[in-house]
């Protein structure tokens, strides 16, 4: 085996080729069983309708659409057969009129006026009908005024001929103007790839337009066909799930001038949320791609389809760029349209990645905090603290201090401190040290603050600084008993 490694940006392509001159006897690769597809690569749906019973009459009720949907060989056969039968029928009618009137036996009688001049056998009657139908007469054969039944048949022939022409020619025109052949100039990549793009695991495939004429209002959709069993035990052989390719952002509306790479971001809402490189070897699914648009030249709606099975999805690959800048224009190299190269990609599913991230750093888990900003960890920290310990301690601190609208940063600081709080107000030790002024407390009191215990620091708030006394005055009855009467009255008036 020989390996070819090519440098492409910061990523490398590894192409493995087999060498015919190697001395290793390699067993022939096992023939993989052909995968039954719902939609072929050319867009044809492998569906056959059977056991219709009496429902086949519905096809005749919409005969025009039935003829348009038929294959070309059947359309040509019906076209030729209809005209042949109509011509023979009308020629027979003209011959019957001549036979009933006796015109065939009085051909050489110059005094007799026939219904149609110079009609004396069936070939001459057929030629007269063709001349009438194609309006290339009347010269040698013509209708006379002595034949009222011939005039009525002439009117009937004109009406019937117009109906047959309108029906068959219109059917053939619609058949030829169908944009099915236009869909053949819309290309899809042979494989779909899964790799990282913008920091997210993404399913990608490529579409292209070979013609210079544009597809107006081009839109693309994706369906995932996969069998599953419902919780009630019902088996769904072809369950259709929607793959978001930019419906919410408008990215599914394409400006299809050059080849585009269509992306499906694999997230919690994606059906591929639990798909990993290992599970792709056992799962069976099919991705159906539908591209719709209006043909610019005819104004008719065109639809192109293709599909990708699980063995046509390459994990850890990326498409080669096909657009290059030339002098005054952009050149598209369609020889590299289907080419891919390998890139470093995690083999784990998005679900496994989030679970691993949650175990390693719960605060940074995407499932808890979906923000992509730099301060996402701080937002998650605030969310967790607000939901757990901060609420308990903030309520206690608000009740003691009388400040129900304390800043969140102060509450978070009070919840994360590790010092012990004292019973006189459950204030944090940092707040006690900040609020204490040198000279107020004696050495004995300062010595008690270094101990880890539950002994009260002070039995009265009279020794506290004025700011801290006002802060502690809103406790709602816990410390008002130790305040002077004047200060207690001022406190009650302020909060009443």
């Amino acid at each position: 085996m020989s390996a070819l490694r090519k440098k492409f940006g910061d990523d490398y392509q590894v192409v493995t080729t087999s060498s015919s001159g190697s001395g290793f006897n390699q067993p022939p690769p096992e023939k993989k069983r052909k995968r039954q597809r719902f939609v072929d690569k050319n867009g044809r749906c492998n569906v056959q309708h059977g056991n219709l019973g009496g429902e086949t009459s519905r096809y005749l009720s919409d005969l025009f659409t039935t003829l348009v949907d038929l294959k070309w060989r059947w359309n040509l056969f019906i076209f030729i057969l209809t005209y042949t039968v109509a011509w023979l029928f009308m020629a027979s009618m003209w011959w019957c009129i001549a036979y009933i009137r006796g015109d065939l036996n009085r051909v050489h009688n110059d005094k007799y006026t026939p219904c149609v001049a110079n009609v004396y056998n069936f070939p001459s009657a057929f030629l007269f009908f063709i001349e009438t139908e194609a309006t290339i007469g009347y010269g040698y054969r013509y209708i006379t005024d002595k034949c009222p039944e011939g005039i009525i048949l002439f009117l009937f022939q004109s009406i019937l001929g117009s109906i047959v022409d309108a029906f068959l020619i219109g059917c053939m025109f619609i058949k030829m103007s169908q944009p099915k052949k236009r869909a053949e100039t819309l290309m899809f990549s042979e494989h779909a790839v899964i790799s990282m793009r913008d920091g997210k695991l993404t399913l990608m495939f490529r579409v292209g337009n070979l013609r210079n004429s544009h597809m107006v209002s081009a839109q693309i959709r994706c369906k995932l066909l996969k069998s599953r069993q419902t919780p009630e035990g019902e088996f769904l052989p072809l369950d259709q799930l929607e793959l978001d390719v930019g419906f919410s952002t408008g990215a599914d509306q394409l400006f299809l001038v050059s080849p585009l790479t269509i992306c499906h971001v694999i997230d919690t809402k994606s059906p591929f949320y639990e798909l990993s490189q290992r599970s792709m070897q056992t799962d069976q699914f099919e991705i159906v791609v539908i591209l719709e648009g209006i043909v610019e030249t005819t104004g008719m709606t065109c639809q192109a389809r293709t599909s990708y099975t699980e063995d046509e999805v390459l994990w850890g690959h990326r498409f080669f760029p096909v657009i290059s800048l030339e002098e005054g224009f952009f050149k598209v190299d369609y020889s590299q349209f289907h080419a891919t190269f390998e890139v470093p990609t995690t083999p784990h599913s998005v679900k496994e990645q989030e679970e691993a991230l949650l175990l390693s750093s719960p605060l940074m888990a995407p499932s808890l905090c979906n923000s992509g900003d730099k301060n996402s960890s701080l937002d998650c920290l605030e969310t967790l603290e607000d939901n757990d310990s901060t609420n308990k301690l903030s309520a206690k601190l608000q009740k003691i201090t009388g400040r129900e609208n304390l800043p969140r940063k102060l509450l978070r600081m009070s919840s994360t401190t590790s010092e012990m709080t004292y019973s006189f107000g459950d204030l944090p030790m940092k707040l006690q040290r900040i609020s204490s002024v040198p000279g107020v407390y004696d050495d004995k009191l300062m010595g008690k603050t270094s101990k880890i215990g539950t002994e009260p620091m002070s039995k009265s708030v009279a020794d506290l600084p004025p700011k801290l006394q006002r802060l502690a005055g809103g406790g709602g009855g816990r410390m008002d008993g130790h305040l002077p009467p004047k200060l207690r009255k001022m406190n009650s008036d302020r909060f009443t």
Side-chain angles (χ1 to χ4, degrees):
M1 305 292 289
S2 62
L4 303 179
R5 184 178 294 270
K6 296 181 181 180
K7 176 74 174 174
F8 191 84
D10 294 332
D11 303 313
Y12 291 91
Q13 175 198 14
V14 179
V15 182
T16 306
T17 58
S18 59
S19 177
S20 59
S22 61
F24 298 98
N25 295 327
Q26 299 178 355
E30 295 182 1
K31 214 171 188 181
K32 190 174 182 180
R33 185 180 176 183
K34 187 177 180 181
R35 173 79 157 79
Q36 180 62 42
R37 312 177 71 101
F38 187 75
V39 178
D40 288 337
K41 297 295 288 185
N42 57 4
R44 185 177 65 89
C45 298
N46 294 322
V47 178
Q48 293 184 359
H49 303 281
N51 298 326
L52 296 177
E55 303 298 331
T56 53
S57 59
R58 298 176 181 265
Y59 291 101
L60 298 178
S61 61
D62 190 11
L63 185 59
F64 184 81
T65 306
T66 303
L67 293 177
V68 173
D69 290 341
L70 291 176
K71 295 183 179 180
W72 269 106
R73 55 178 177 268
W74 293 109
N75 277 103
L76 294 176
F77 174 76
I78 294 174
F79 186 86
I80 296 173
L81 181 64
T82 303
Y83 273 108
T84 302
V85 172
W87 291 349
L88 293 176
F89 173 76
M90 294 306 302
S92 300
M93 294 295 295
W94 287 110
W95 180 84
C96 289
I97 291 177
Y99 178 79
I100 294 173
R101 286 175 56 89
D103 296 345
L104 301 179
N105 299 326
R106 301 175 185 180
V107 177
H108 302 289
N109 189 355
D110 297 336
K111 296 181 180 180
Y112 178 75
T113 303
C115 181
V116 179
N118 300 317
V119 173
Y120 45 86
N121 53 19
F122 183 79
S124 60
F126 184 79
L127 290 176
F128 172 73
F129 165 75
I130 294 298
E131 292 176 2
T132 304
E133 182 69 21
T135 63
I136 57 177
Y138 298 93
Y140 183 67
R141 299 177 180 87
Y142 55 92
I143 189 172
T144 63
D145 56 352
K146 301 296 182 180
C147 181
E149 60 271 20
I151 296 175
I152 295 176
L153 181 61
F154 170 75
L155 296 177
F156 176 74
Q157 173 185 330
S158 300
I159 295 174
L160 181 62
S162 300
I163 293 176
V164 172
D165 290 344
F167 191 83
L168 292 181
I169 295 177
C171 178
M172 297 298 291
F173 175 77
I174 295 297
K175 184 73 174 178
M176 290 184 294
S177 61
Q178 275 188 325
K180 289 185 178 180
K181 297 299 179 182
R182 177 65 175 91
E184 295 183 0
T185 56
L186 298 174
M187 292 181 60
F188 296 93
S189 57
E190 294 180 354
H191 296 86
V193 299
I194 294 180
S195 61
M196 302 298 293
R197 170 173 282 197
D198 296 330
K200 301 178 181 179
L201 198 63
T202 308
L203 170 70
M204 295 174 285
F205 57 90
R206 179 177 279 173
V207 296
N209 182 16
L210 298 180
R211 291 186 179 274
N212 292 328
S213 59
H214 299 171
M215 292 290 296
V216 182
S217 301
Q219 184 179 11
I220 194 163
R221 295 181 292 119
C222 289
K223 295 286 185 179
L224 175 64
L225 304 182
K226 187 177 180 181
S227 60
R228 70 179 182 91
Q229 189 172 6
T230 62
E232 296 78 13
E234 181 184 4
F235 180 73
L236 305 177
L238 291 174
D239 187 30
Q240 297 188 11
L241 300 175
E242 188 74 21
L243 292 181
D244 187 9
V245 289
F247 177 77
S248 57
T249 60
D252 59 333
Q253 304 290 334
L254 307 181
F255 182 52
L256 196 57
V257 179
S258 60
L260 300 176
T261 301
I262 310 301
C263 301
H264 166 69
V265 178
I266 302 177
D267 51 12
T268 55
K269 299 180 180 179
S270 173
F272 292 136
Y273 179 61
E274 300 180 2
L275 182 67
S276 63
Q277 187 176 10
R278 177 179 298 178
S279 61
M280 281 185 57
Q281 302 175 1
T282 56
D283 288 354
Q284 287 190 357
F285 59 85
E286 184 173 353
I287 303 172
V288 179
V289 181
I290 304 172
L291 176 62
E292 294 179 341
I294 301 175
V295 182
E296 187 180 30
T297 54
T298 61
M300 302 185 69
T301 303
C302 173
Q303 185 181 95
R305 297 181 296 268
T306 191
S307 67
Y308 301 98
T309 57
E310 68 279 352
D311 54 346
E312 294 173 346
V313 179
L314 304 179
W315 190 283
H317 282 244
R318 189 180 298 167
F319 288 106
F320 268 106
V322 294
I323 301 178
S324 60
L325 179 61
E326 303 292 338
E327 295 182 0
F329 62 93
F330 293 91
K331 182 180 179 181
V332 179
D333 184 13
Y334 280 97
S335 62
Q336 301 291 335
F337 184 82
H338 306 284
T340 63
F341 62 96
E342 295 182 359
V343 292
T345 305
T346 174
H348 304 287
S349 64
V350 177
K351 181 179 180 180
E352 294 173 349
Q353 297 178 36
E354 291 186 356
E355 290 177 351
L357 187 60
L358 180 62
L359 294 176
S360 61
S361 178
L363 299 181
M364 296 292 291
S367 59
L368 297 178
C369 188
N370 296 325
S371 176
D373 300 333
K374 296 181 179 179
N375 298 326
S376 60
S377 60
L378 182 59
D379 297 336
C380 295
L381 180 61
E382 292 178 359
T383 303
L384 291 177
E385 291 176 348
D386 289 342
N387 293 336
D388 297 325
S389 61
T390 305
N391 290 337
K392 299 179 181 179
L393 189 56
S394 62
K396 186 180 295 185
L397 185 60
Q398 292 171 10
K399 186 180 297 184
I400 295 171
T401 58
R403 303 295 180 90
E404 298 182 357
N405 297 322
L406 284 177
R408 182 173 296 179
K409 291 184 178 180
L410 183 58
L411 299 179
R412 187 164 63 250
M413 182 185 67
S414 63
S415 63
T416 56
T417 182
S418 59
E419 283 90 5
M420 299 292 294
T421 57
Y422 288 83
S423 61
F424 84 100
D426 290 339
L427 292 176
M429 203 167 191
K430 290 182 178 180
L431 189 59
Q432 296 176 14
R433 289 200 301 267
I434 294 174
S435 60
S436 62
V437 179
V440 176
Y441 302 104
D442 53 22
D443 297 336
K444 184 177 179 181
L445 183 62
M446 295 303 294
K448 289 184 179 180
T449 58
S450 62
K451 299 180 182 179
I452 300 176
T454 58
E455 185 178 353
M457 189 171 111
S458 179
K459 294 185 179 180
S460 175
V461 295
D463 301 328
L464 294 178
K467 292 185 179 180
L468 192 56
Q469 291 179 13
R470 288 197 300 270
L471 182 63
R478 293 190 59 183
M479 298 182 63
D480 286 349
H482 302 283
L483 294 177
K486 185 177 181 180
L487 183 60
R488 192 185 313 165
K489 184 176 184 303
M490 292 174 58
N491 183 28
S492 60
D493 295 339
R494 182 167 55 89
F495 285 94
T496 300

